[in-house]
Amino acid sequence: MEKKKMNGVLHCRWLSLTIVSYCFVALFLIQPDNERIKDARALSSSASLPVKAVNVGGWLVVEGWMTPWLFDNITNKDMLDGTQLKLRSVKQNMYVCAEGGGDNILVANRTGAAWWETFKLWRVNETTFYLRVAFGQFVRISNKSSELVANATNPGKSEEFVFIRSSNNRVRIRAPNGLFVQARSADAVTADYGEEGTNWGDDDPSVFEMDLNWRVEIGEYQVTNGYGPNATSVLRNHWNTFITEDDFRTMAEYNLTAVRIPVGWWTTRDPEPPKPFVNGSLQIVDNAFNWAEKYNLRVILDLHATNGSTNGWDLSGTRDGTIDWGKTDENINQSVGAIDFLASRYTQRSCLLAIELLNEALAPDISIDSLKKYYQAGYDTVRKYSSEVYVIMSSRLRADQRELLQYIGSFNKSVIDVHYYNSLDGRFSGLSVQQNLGFINNERSRDLSSVTVANGPLVLVGEWSGEFWHSGGEASKEEYQRFAQAELNVFGRATFGWAYWSWKHEINHWSLKWMIANGYISLNKTS
Ligand SMILES: *[C@@H]1O[C@H](CO)[C@@H](O)[C@H](O)[C@H]1NC(C)=O
Ligand SMILES: *[C@@H]1O[C@H](CO)[C@@H](O)[C@H](O)[C@H]1NC(C)=O
Ligand SMILES: *[C@@H]1O[C@H](CO)[C@@H](O)[C@H](O)[C@H]1NC(C)=O
Ligand SMILES: *[C@@H]1O[C@H](CO)[C@@H](O)[C@H](O)[C@H]1NC(C)=O
Ligand SMILES: *[C@@H]1O[C@H](CO)[C@@H](O)[C@H](O)[C@H]1NC(C)=O
Ligand SMILES: *[C@@H]1O[C@H](CO)[C@@H](O)[C@H](O)[C@H]1NC(C)=O
Ligand SMILES: *[C@@H]1O[C@H](CO)[C@@H](O)[C@H](O)[C@H]1NC(C)=O
Ligand SMILES: *[C@@H]1O[C@H](CO)[C@@H](O)[C@H](O)[C@H]1NC(C)=O
Ligand SMILES: *[C@@H]1O[C@H](CO)[C@@H](O)[C@H](O)[C@H]1NC(C)=O
Ligand SMILES: *[C@@H]1O[C@H](CO)[C@@H](O)[C@H](O)[C@H]1NC(C)=O
Ligand SMILES: *[C@@H]1O[C@H](CO)[C@@H](O)[C@H](O)[C@H]1NC(C)=O
């Protein structure tokens, strides 16, 4: 850090010297205060560090658990993209299985259901679905017989299955040939049952019992594809009501200094984002910049969801949880394109403090090599437009946070992002409140120190929350206050700053707005 600050000063001084006339040089020579010759923008941006920021999560990148009501009016909302389906043949009393996990026939001879017996739904509309098997292929009818096989790679008309549900979780499935799927025997699942009527009884081989594993990972893809043609109005209404100018005013009033804005790659494709994403979100980002400027908040613009998904979670905009970012150069390039779009549009805005290249890359799925390739290209792209804006690079989740420290530190005005939650991980539910506090004061404090090194990048605790998992009953208000204060004390040492997850949230303790309004957390202007 020190090294880089020095470089910046020297660089600016050199520039100033070449620009200003000699009489001003003389003035500088008798002026001992080096600050005078610092670039004004560099000064104002360093003055804003470390930031006290909040994420506006669940706004432009939907997360179902933050805003569950958004899914309320979807027809068949238990059958969204990525929903895991298990089918039990009531006649055979056996589960349907994609033999071998894929590239093979379907059978109905399993007494229990695990991975190969789980199908992921790809929703065409509220009644029509593609069925994706364990190894990623889709179910279709074999060309030679009426057997179902799982060997299609790009689903289309011949992979469309129509689900006709009964009231008691039973279903009949009409195959693309117009006939019903049946478990003719334990080792033959075929699409050749012509009988239109059924009593939904155990004797009907075309009747299956559905086990729909309601998944937590419901996000932007699920809500937009779930509403289909109605998605535009639902999403636009959400964008215009969930976060408004008044929220930015309140953030400033609560002594926050910055806002981290997660955006999805589809926003960079406005006005024609690929289906099912809907257009109009770019205007909302523009609004956010206007409000940030008006209320003197700095902006961290975060490419939160990349095409291909870096973690498989709802927050990545995934369709079915598959992590395939970085598997080919194609989506790395697409992400660089998204950064180019954001940088070209927003680097001239005075409130822009930083661009974050990517959020939550999961190890080992996302390789260090793909990350480095992308970070280099993303950094160069931002620098095409600005030498001032900070470039934030995420450490990999579930890996040693120091593995990329030196690499990230090799760039100018670079920042490493680390996320520190005491929840969403079973190990915390076994800890008492006191042990959770100890974890912050000891382990977390050490974690933060270990990424804070001379000549390294600045450090952003880009996500943390006042919610924590613990043993025993509900924690008291006083315990929440002590926990949050411990976090503020430790994370306050982060050299770039911190950002709470999130401003608004269905669950109160996850909402900084609620926490401050209700006296759980208070911030003052200086600390
Ligand atoms: C769902 O429908 C109800 C009743 O029409 C309406 O009040 C509500 O706003 C709708 N919710 C969404 C997310 O569209
Ligand atoms: C769903 O899609 C299928 C295939 O494109 C179409 O035949 C059917 O009419 C659609 N159903 C609804 C309810 O939109
Ligand atoms: C899928 O299986 C069918 C027959 O079972 C075969 O005709 C077809 O070539 C296979 N397709 C692929 C992509 O393997
Ligand atoms: C199998 O059938 C599909 C669609 O019905 C067709 O596109 C494909 O060419 C056929 N493949 C073979 C090997 O016959
Ligand atoms: C299920 O049926 C297939 C096809 O006949 C067979 O290869 C497989 O061994 C059977 N599995 C079990 C568990 O019975
Ligand atoms: C769209 O909304 C209308 C009116 O609320 C409703 O009748 C229709 O079923 C909805 N369509 C979808 C695909 O959700
Ligand atoms: C969204 O797309 C539609 C259809 O392409 C277009 O008419 C409309 O102007 C676009 N709206 C915005 C806000 O980009
Ligand atoms: C998203 O990335 C995938 C590859 O992972 C690619 O096939 C697809 O075309 C991309 N989508 C768009 C809209 O560019
Ligand atoms: C990705 O971008 C690099 C550099 O511009 C280029 O060499 C490469 O061909 C691109 N790859 C793809 C798959 O577009
Ligand atoms: C950092 O800035 C210095 C001084 O402007 C420059 O010489 C160097 O090439 C930059 N390094 C990177 C990685 O951009
Ligand atoms: C903001 O900080 C100032 C000065 O430290 C303090 O007086 C004020 O109460 C704080 N506002 C809130 C809402 O905490």
mmCIF file with all atom_site columns, all heavy atoms in Angstrom, residues 87-99:
data_model
loop_
_atom_site.group_PDB
_atom_site.id
_atom_site.type_symbol
_atom_site.label_atom_id
_atom_site.label_alt_id
_atom_site.label_comp_id
_atom_site.label_asym_id
_atom_site.label_entity_id
_atom_site.label_seq_id
_atom_site.pdbx_PDB_ins_code
_atom_site.Cartn_x
_atom_site.Cartn_y
_atom_site.Cartn_z
_atom_site.occupancy
_atom_site.B_iso_or_equiv
_atom_site.pdbx_formal_charge
_atom_site.auth_seq_id
_atom_site.auth_comp_id
_atom_site.auth_asym_id
_atom_site.auth_atom_id
_atom_site.pdbx_PDB_model_num
ATOM 1   N N   . LEU A 1 87 ? -39.130 -38.568 -9.165  1.00 0.00 ? 87 LEU A N   1
ATOM 2   C CA  . LEU A 1 87 ? -40.376 -39.161 -9.631  1.00 0.00 ? 87 LEU A CA  1
ATOM 3   C C   . LEU A 1 87 ? -40.455 -40.603 -9.154  1.00 0.00 ? 87 LEU A C   1
ATOM 4   O O   . LEU A 1 87 ? -39.543 -41.397 -9.415  1.00 0.00 ? 87 LEU A O   1
ATOM 5   C CB  . LEU A 1 87 ? -40.416 -39.159 -11.158 1.00 0.00 ? 87 LEU A CB  1
ATOM 6   C CG  . LEU A 1 87 ? -40.624 -37.820 -11.858 1.00 0.00 ? 87 LEU A CG  1
ATOM 7   C CD1 . LEU A 1 87 ? -40.405 -37.985 -13.360 1.00 0.00 ? 87 LEU A CD1 1
ATOM 8   C CD2 . LEU A 1 87 ? -42.029 -37.274 -11.570 1.00 0.00 ? 87 LEU A CD2 1
ATOM 9   N N   . ARG A 1 88 ? -41.558 -40.927 -8.470  1.00 0.00 ? 88 ARG A N   1
ATOM 10  C CA  . ARG A 1 88 ? -41.762 -42.314 -8.042  1.00 0.00 ? 88 ARG A CA  1
ATOM 11  C C   . ARG A 1 88 ? -42.918 -42.881 -8.837  1.00 0.00 ? 88 ARG A C   1
ATOM 12  O O   . ARG A 1 88 ? -44.003 -42.293 -8.870  1.00 0.00 ? 88 ARG A O   1
ATOM 13  C CB  . ARG A 1 88 ? -42.080 -42.375 -6.538  1.00 0.00 ? 88 ARG A CB  1
ATOM 14  C CG  . ARG A 1 88 ? -42.107 -43.790 -5.960  1.00 0.00 ? 88 ARG A CG  1
ATOM 15  C CD  . ARG A 1 88 ? -42.385 -43.772 -4.464  1.00 0.00 ? 88 ARG A CD  1
ATOM 16  N NE  . ARG A 1 88 ? -43.722 -43.252 -4.160  1.00 0.00 ? 88 ARG A NE  1
ATOM 17  C CZ  . ARG A 1 88 ? -44.839 -43.991 -4.155  1.00 0.00 ? 88 ARG A CZ  1
ATOM 18  N NH1 . ARG A 1 88 ? -44.798 -45.287 -4.414  1.00 0.00 ? 88 ARG A NH1 1
ATOM 19  N NH2 . ARG A 1 88 ? -46.013 -43.430 -3.895  1.00 0.00 ? 88 ARG A NH2 1
ATOM 20  N N   . SER A 1 89 ? -42.660 -43.993 -9.521  1.00 0.00 ? 89 SER A N   1
ATOM 21  C CA  . SER A 1 89 ? -43.736 -44.666 -10.230 1.00 0.00 ? 89 SER A CA  1
ATOM 22  C C   . SER A 1 89 ? -44.633 -45.328 -9.190  1.00 0.00 ? 89 SER A C   1
ATOM 23  O O   . SER A 1 89 ? -44.162 -46.142 -8.390  1.00 0.00 ? 89 SER A O   1
ATOM 24  C CB  . SER A 1 89 ? -43.178 -45.744 -11.178 1.00 0.00 ? 89 SER A CB  1
ATOM 25  O OG  . SER A 1 89 ? -44.203 -46.678 -11.468 1.00 0.00 ? 89 SER A OG  1
ATOM 26  N N   . VAL A 1 90 ? -45.925 -44.957 -9.171  1.00 0.00 ? 90 VAL A N   1
ATOM 27  C CA  . VAL A 1 90 ? -46.803 -45.529 -8.144  1.00 0.00 ? 90 VAL A CA  1
ATOM 28  C C   . VAL A 1 90 ? -47.091 -46.997 -8.453  1.00 0.00 ? 90 VAL A C   1
ATOM 29  O O   . VAL A 1 90 ? -47.272 -47.809 -7.548  1.00 0.00 ? 90 VAL A O   1
ATOM 30  C CB  . VAL A 1 90 ? -48.121 -44.718 -7.991  1.00 0.00 ? 90 VAL A CB  1
ATOM 31  C CG1 . VAL A 1 90 ? -47.817 -43.322 -7.450  1.00 0.00 ? 90 VAL A CG1 1
ATOM 32  C CG2 . VAL A 1 90 ? -48.886 -44.638 -9.291  1.00 0.00 ? 90 VAL A CG2 1
ATOM 33  N N   . LYS A 1 91 ? -47.080 -47.347 -9.741  1.00 0.00 ? 91 LYS A N   1
ATOM 34  C CA  . LYS A 1 91 ? -47.341 -48.742 -10.131 1.00 0.00 ? 91 LYS A CA  1
ATOM 35  C C   . LYS A 1 91 ? -46.169 -49.642 -9.722  1.00 0.00 ? 91 LYS A C   1
ATOM 36  O O   . LYS A 1 91 ? -46.357 -50.693 -9.126  1.00 0.00 ? 91 LYS A O   1
ATOM 37  C CB  . LYS A 1 91 ? -47.555 -48.803 -11.649 1.00 0.00 ? 91 LYS A CB  1
ATOM 38  C CG  . LYS A 1 91 ? -47.686 -50.188 -12.244 1.00 0.00 ? 91 LYS A CG  1
ATOM 39  C CD  . LYS A 1 91 ? -49.139 -50.634 -12.279 1.00 0.00 ? 91 LYS A CD  1
ATOM 40  C CE  . LYS A 1 91 ? -49.315 -52.059 -12.798 1.00 0.00 ? 91 LYS A CE  1
ATOM 41  N NZ  . LYS A 1 91 ? -49.309 -52.139 -14.254 1.00 0.00 ? 91 LYS A NZ  1
ATOM 42  N N   . GLN A 1 92 ? -44.946 -49.212 -10.014 1.00 0.00 ? 92 GLN A N   1
ATOM 43  C CA  . GLN A 1 92 ? -43.766 -50.026 -9.680  1.00 0.00 ? 92 GLN A CA  1
ATOM 44  C C   . GLN A 1 92 ? -43.323 -49.812 -8.237  1.00 0.00 ? 92 GLN A C   1
ATOM 45  O O   . GLN A 1 92 ? -42.515 -50.581 -7.720  1.00 0.00 ? 92 GLN A O   1
ATOM 46  C CB  . GLN A 1 92 ? -42.590 -49.671 -10.608 1.00 0.00 ? 92 GLN A CB  1
ATOM 47  C CG  . GLN A 1 92 ? -42.890 -49.752 -12.097 1.00 0.00 ? 92 GLN A CG  1
ATOM 48  C CD  . GLN A 1 92 ? -43.274 -51.163 -12.534 1.00 0.00 ? 92 GLN A CD  1
ATOM 49  O OE1 . GLN A 1 92 ? -42.941 -52.141 -11.867 1.00 0.00 ? 92 GLN A OE1 1
ATOM 50  N NE2 . GLN A 1 92 ? -44.000 -51.270 -13.643 1.00 0.00 ? 92 GLN A NE2 1
ATOM 51  N N   . ASN A 1 93 ? -43.813 -48.722 -7.639  1.00 0.00 ? 93 ASN A N   1
ATOM 52  C CA  . ASN A 1 93 ? -43.323 -48.296 -6.327  1.00 0.00 ? 93 ASN A CA  1
ATOM 53  C C   . ASN A 1 93 ? -41.792 -48.192 -6.335  1.00 0.00 ? 93 ASN A C   1
ATOM 54  O O   . ASN A 1 93 ? -41.101 -48.676 -5.438  1.00 0.00 ? 93 ASN A O   1
ATOM 55  C CB  . ASN A 1 93 ? -43.806 -49.247 -5.225  1.00 0.00 ? 93 ASN A CB  1
ATOM 56  C CG  . ASN A 1 93 ? -43.509 -48.684 -3.835  1.00 0.00 ? 93 ASN A CG  1
ATOM 57  O OD1 . ASN A 1 93 ? -43.342 -47.467 -3.682  1.00 0.00 ? 93 ASN A OD1 1
ATOM 58  N ND2 . ASN A 1 93 ? -43.423 -49.551 -2.836  1.00 0.00 ? 93 ASN A ND2 1
ATOM 59  N N   . MET A 1 94 ? -41.297 -47.560 -7.374  1.00 0.00 ? 94 MET A N   1
ATOM 60  C CA  . MET A 1 94 ? -39.854 -47.398 -7.559  1.00 0.00 ? 94 MET A CA  1
ATOM 61  C C   . MET A 1 94 ? -39.582 -45.989 -8.110  1.00 0.00 ? 94 MET A C   1
ATOM 62  O O   . MET A 1 94 ? -40.421 -45.420 -8.806  1.00 0.00 ? 94 MET A O   1
ATOM 63  C CB  . MET A 1 94 ? -39.334 -48.405 -8.604  1.00 0.00 ? 94 MET A CB  1
ATOM 64  C CG  . MET A 1 94 ? -39.323 -49.836 -8.151  1.00 0.00 ? 94 MET A CG  1
ATOM 65  S SD  . MET A 1 94 ? -37.895 -50.129 -7.107  1.00 0.00 ? 94 MET A SD  1
ATOM 66  C CE  . MET A 1 94 ? -38.197 -51.844 -6.665  1.00 0.00 ? 94 MET A CE  1
ATOM 67  N N   . TYR A 1 95 ? -38.406 -45.475 -7.819  1.00 0.00 ? 95 TYR A N   1
ATOM 68  C CA  . TYR A 1 95 ? -38.030 -44.164 -8.345  1.00 0.00 ? 95 TYR A CA  1
ATOM 69  C C   . TYR A 1 95 ? -37.453 -44.276 -9.757  1.00 0.00 ? 95 TYR A C   1
ATOM 70  O O   . TYR A 1 95 ? -36.766 -45.254 -10.094 1.00 0.00 ? 95 TYR A O   1
ATOM 71  C CB  . TYR A 1 95 ? -36.991 -43.496 -7.447  1.00 0.00 ? 95 TYR A CB  1
ATOM 72  C CG  . TYR A 1 95 ? -37.591 -42.938 -6.183  1.00 0.00 ? 95 TYR A CG  1
ATOM 73  C CD1 . TYR A 1 95 ? -37.546 -43.676 -4.999  1.00 0.00 ? 95 TYR A CD1 1
ATOM 74  C CD2 . TYR A 1 95 ? -38.212 -41.694 -6.190  1.00 0.00 ? 95 TYR A CD2 1
ATOM 75  C CE1 . TYR A 1 95 ? -38.108 -43.171 -3.837  1.00 0.00 ? 95 TYR A CE1 1
ATOM 76  C CE2 . TYR A 1 95 ? -38.771 -41.185 -5.032  1.00 0.00 ? 95 TYR A CE2 1
ATOM 77  C CZ  . TYR A 1 95 ? -38.724 -41.928 -3.859  1.00 0.00 ? 95 TYR A CZ  1
ATOM 78  O OH  . TYR A 1 95 ? -39.289 -41.422 -2.715  1.00 0.00 ? 95 TYR A OH  1
ATOM 79  N N   . VAL A 1 96 ? -37.724 -43.273 -10.529 1.00 0.00 ? 96 VAL A N   1
ATOM 80  C CA  . VAL A 1 96 ? -37.169 -43.197 -11.878 1.00 0.00 ? 96 VAL A CA  1
ATOM 81  C C   . VAL A 1 96 ? -35.713 -42.736 -11.764 1.00 0.00 ? 96 VAL A C   1
ATOM 82  O O   . VAL A 1 96 ? -35.387 -41.866 -10.965 1.00 0.00 ? 96 VAL A O   1
ATOM 83  C CB  . VAL A 1 96 ? -37.972 -42.203 -12.746 1.00 0.00 ? 96 VAL A CB  1
ATOM 84  C CG1 . VAL A 1 96 ? -37.345 -42.061 -14.134 1.00 0.00 ? 96 VAL A CG1 1
ATOM 85  C CG2 . VAL A 1 96 ? -39.431 -42.646 -12.838 1.00 0.00 ? 96 VAL A CG2 1
ATOM 86  N N   . CYS A 1 97 ? -34.878 -43.350 -12.605 1.00 0.00 ? 97 CYS A N   1
ATOM 87  C CA  . CYS A 1 97 ? -33.446 -43.076 -12.535 1.00 0.00 ? 97 CYS A CA  1
ATOM 88  C C   . CYS A 1 97 ? -32.885 -42.882 -13.941 1.00 0.00 ? 97 CYS A C   1
ATOM 89  O O   . CYS A 1 97 ? -33.263 -43.602 -14.864 1.00 0.00 ? 97 CYS A O   1
ATOM 90  C CB  . CYS A 1 97 ? -32.765 -44.276 -11.866 1.00 0.00 ? 97 CYS A CB  1
ATOM 91  S SG  . CYS A 1 97 ? -30.967 -44.253 -11.942 1.00 0.00 ? 97 CYS A SG  1
ATOM 92  N N   . ALA A 1 98 ? -32.018 -41.896 -14.098 1.00 0.00 ? 98 ALA A N   1
ATOM 93  C CA  . ALA A 1 98 ? -31.268 -41.766 -15.348 1.00 0.00 ? 98 ALA A CA  1
ATOM 94  C C   . ALA A 1 98 ? -30.058 -42.685 -15.194 1.00 0.00 ? 98 ALA A C   1
ATOM 95  O O   . ALA A 1 98 ? -29.109 -42.353 -14.497 1.00 0.00 ? 98 ALA A O   1
ATOM 96  C CB  . ALA A 1 98 ? -30.836 -40.321 -15.569 1.00 0.00 ? 98 ALA A CB  1
ATOM 97  N N   . GLU A 1 99 ? -30.162 -43.867 -15.777 1.00 0.00 ? 99 GLU A N   1
ATOM 98  C CA  . GLU A 1 99 ? -29.129 -44.890 -15.586 1.00 0.00 ? 99 GLU A CA  1
ATOM 99  C C   . GLU A 1 99 ? -27.748 -44.322 -15.916 1.00 0.00 ? 99 GLU A C   1
ATOM 100 O O   . GLU A 1 99 ? -27.577 -43.620 -16.923 1.00 0.00 ? 99 GLU A O   1
ATOM 101 C CB  . GLU A 1 99 ? -29.467 -46.101 -16.476 1.00 0.00 ? 99 GLU A CB  1
ATOM 102 C CG  . GLU A 1 99 ? -28.728 -47.372 -16.126 1.00 0.00 ? 99 GLU A CG  1
ATOM 103 C CD  . GLU A 1 99 ? -28.966 -47.845 -14.686 1.00 0.00 ? 99 GLU A CD  1
ATOM 104 O OE1 . GLU A 1 99 ? -29.957 -48.568 -14.449 1.00 0.00 ? 99 GLU A OE1 1
ATOM 105 O OE2 . GLU A 1 99 ? -28.160 -47.483 -13.815 1.00 0.00 ? 99 GLU A OE2 1
#
